Structure formats: C-alpha cells, structure tokens
C-alpha cells in the first residue's frame, strides 16, 4: 500500500533555469542535488511538505530523459508513490498483473530503493515506487 | 507558499478501467466522483495519504481533456499544488512573472477553488493551484 505521493519527476533542459522557477517563484526548498550516472541524469530534490518535486536534466541526448525531451519536450516525466516495503509492494503488484520495468529494487536518488512500473500497465503513466532511505 | 502536492491529474479514456488499476491494484480509496460540465470531464478523486490522484475522462472529444487524449494519449495531465490562500498565491505568482490561464479562481472538483498556470511559464508542466473547500 502506498503512503503518499513521494514526488513528481519533471524533465528539464536547464536545471538552473528550472530552479529559478521552483526555488524563487514557487518558494520550494532545494534539499538535495546528485548526478545519477547510471540513470544519465543530474537530479535535484525540492521539499514540498511531505512530498517532493524531482527535477531531472539529462547528462546527454542518448539517455532516457534526453530521449524523452527530444520526443515530448520538457514537462512531467513520472510520478513516484512512497512505500515502506518496496519488496512486498513489487510482489503484490506482480501478482496483480502489473508489468514491472525493474523486477528488483535498485538504488535511486538520496540512497532510496526504487523500481519503475511499465506505462503499458499503468494507463500511460510512468510510475515509480520508492522506499526512502532511513531518515528521509 | 504551497503546502503539498494536492493531486496529480491523469487523463484516461475509460474511467472504470482506470479505477480497476487505482482502486484494486494500487489500493487507493475512491472518495469523490463528479461530472464537471464546464470543464468537460467526469472526474474521480482517490485518497493517497494527504494527497490525491484525480482521474479525468472527457465528456466528448472536443473538450480540453478529449483533445489532450487525441494528441498525447492517456497519461499524466497536470499537477496541482495546494495552498490555503489562492488569491494571495495568484497575486504572488503574477508579480513573479508567471503567466496565468485563470487570473481569478474558479470552482473546481469538490467545491475547491482552482486556477491553472500556463505551461509556457512553468517548463511545460500544466500546473494547477488548489485551495480545498473547508473540511477537505
């Protein structure tokens, strides 16, 4: 069972230009910035109550987010639902017939455990399941 | 200042098929169903902690959500940020140079006050500001 929306992921071409909007105009607090080489992104987390906004800038054009930007332009990329037990959740979703992109969790931003569900199974919504690292 | 993500809005072609995913597979609780004629949608709210998922099915092809589905297919449609004072928030965003679709709030789902920001000003993200009705 999901506890809340953990974050929405937003694909951006220019991280600093996007931060002007989210930090200055929206008054959200930047809490983390990380280059996630294996996902090909530079990513930022902003706090918004118990939720976050994650901004994703591609490290190159041939990364998943780079290809997303080329195909669709900047905008919403995915939604992430939070759980306290990602392994149990993935097992439950598999039994429900949901197609998983990641059948086992991998390490996401800020030490979280993450897995993506396939948009074919989720009404076109790229959906991530997140178990935050202890303390987050 | 925004308090949290109020909801993500998801465009769907078939509300009941989508509910099978969100209610049965995701275990979210349906809390409200409403036909919002002026927006041309049948909409559903599901609870997810203090956040919601809003499913939007168009009443006809020539509505905004109908056109969105024809252009992009089903998927994430918008994000909504929650505030306790939408009038002050719109004033603040206008001063910040954000282009508004609704310069004054209008009535949204479940009696909320809502206004949309223009995606041109928000990095391609259709963004809604929501002040929930008292008691929600």
């Amino acid at each position: 069972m999901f506890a809340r929306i953990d974050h929405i992921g937003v694909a951006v071409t220019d991280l600093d230009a996007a931060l002007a909007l989210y930090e200055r105009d929206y008054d959200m607090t930047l809490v983390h910035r990380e280059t996630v080489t294996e996902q090909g992104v530079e990513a930022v987390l902003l706090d918004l109550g118990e939720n976050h906004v994650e901004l994703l800038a591609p490290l190159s054009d041939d990364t998943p987010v780079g290809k997303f930007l080329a195909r669709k332009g900047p905008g919403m990329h995915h939604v992430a639902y939070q759980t306290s037990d990602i392994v149990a959740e993935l097992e439950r979703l598999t039994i429900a017939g949901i197609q998983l992109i990641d059948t086992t969790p991998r390490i996401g931003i800020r030490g979280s455990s993450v897995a993506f569900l396939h948009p074919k199974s989720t009404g076109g919504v790229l959906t991530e399941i997140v178990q935050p690292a202890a303390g987050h």
Side-chain angles (χ1 to χ4, degrees), chain A:
Chain A
M1 193 175 160
F2 306 136
R4 61 177 59 87
I5 295 176
D6 185 273
H7 64 264
I8 57 159
V10 177
V12 306
T13 48
D14 182 331
L15 207 48
D16 290 309
L19 280 173
L21 174 70
Y22 284 86
E23 281 195 292
R24 187 192 62 203
D25 300 340
Y26 286 172
D27 202 19
M28 298 181 190
T29 304
L30 192 161
V31 289
H32 186 76
R33 186 165 184 152
E34 180 178 346
T35 298
V36 189
T37 311
E38 67 173 36
Q39 288 178 44
V41 291
E42 187 178 3
V44 151
L45 278 181
L46 300 119
D47 267 359
L48 180 53
E50 292 192 288
N51 315 126
H52 302 94
V53 172
E54 182 183 72
L55 304 178
L56 301 163
L59 296 179
S60 66
D61 291 347
D62 62 350
T63 58
V65 173
K67 290 174 188 168
F68 176 94
L69 285 169
R71 206 169 59 244
K72 302 192 174 182
M76 275 196 290
H77 179 263
H78 67 271
V79 62
Y81 298 124
Q82 195 179 108
T83 176
S84 57
D85 187 345
I86 192 169
V87 172
E89 200 60 36
L90 291 181
E91 195 174 297
R92 200 180 67 72
L93 292 167
T94 302
I95 291 168
I98 305 292
Q99 190 181 336
L100 309 181
I101 293 175
D102 303 297
T103 52
T104 55
R106 54 193 172 85
I107 299 302
I109 193 169
R110 207 164 57 167
S112 55
S113 294
V114 306
F116 279 89
L117 314 184
H118 200 291
K120 279 185 191 167
S121 286
T122 58
V125 177
L126 180 60
T127 302
E128 181 183 358
I129 310 300
V130 182
Q131 180 178 339
H136 290 296

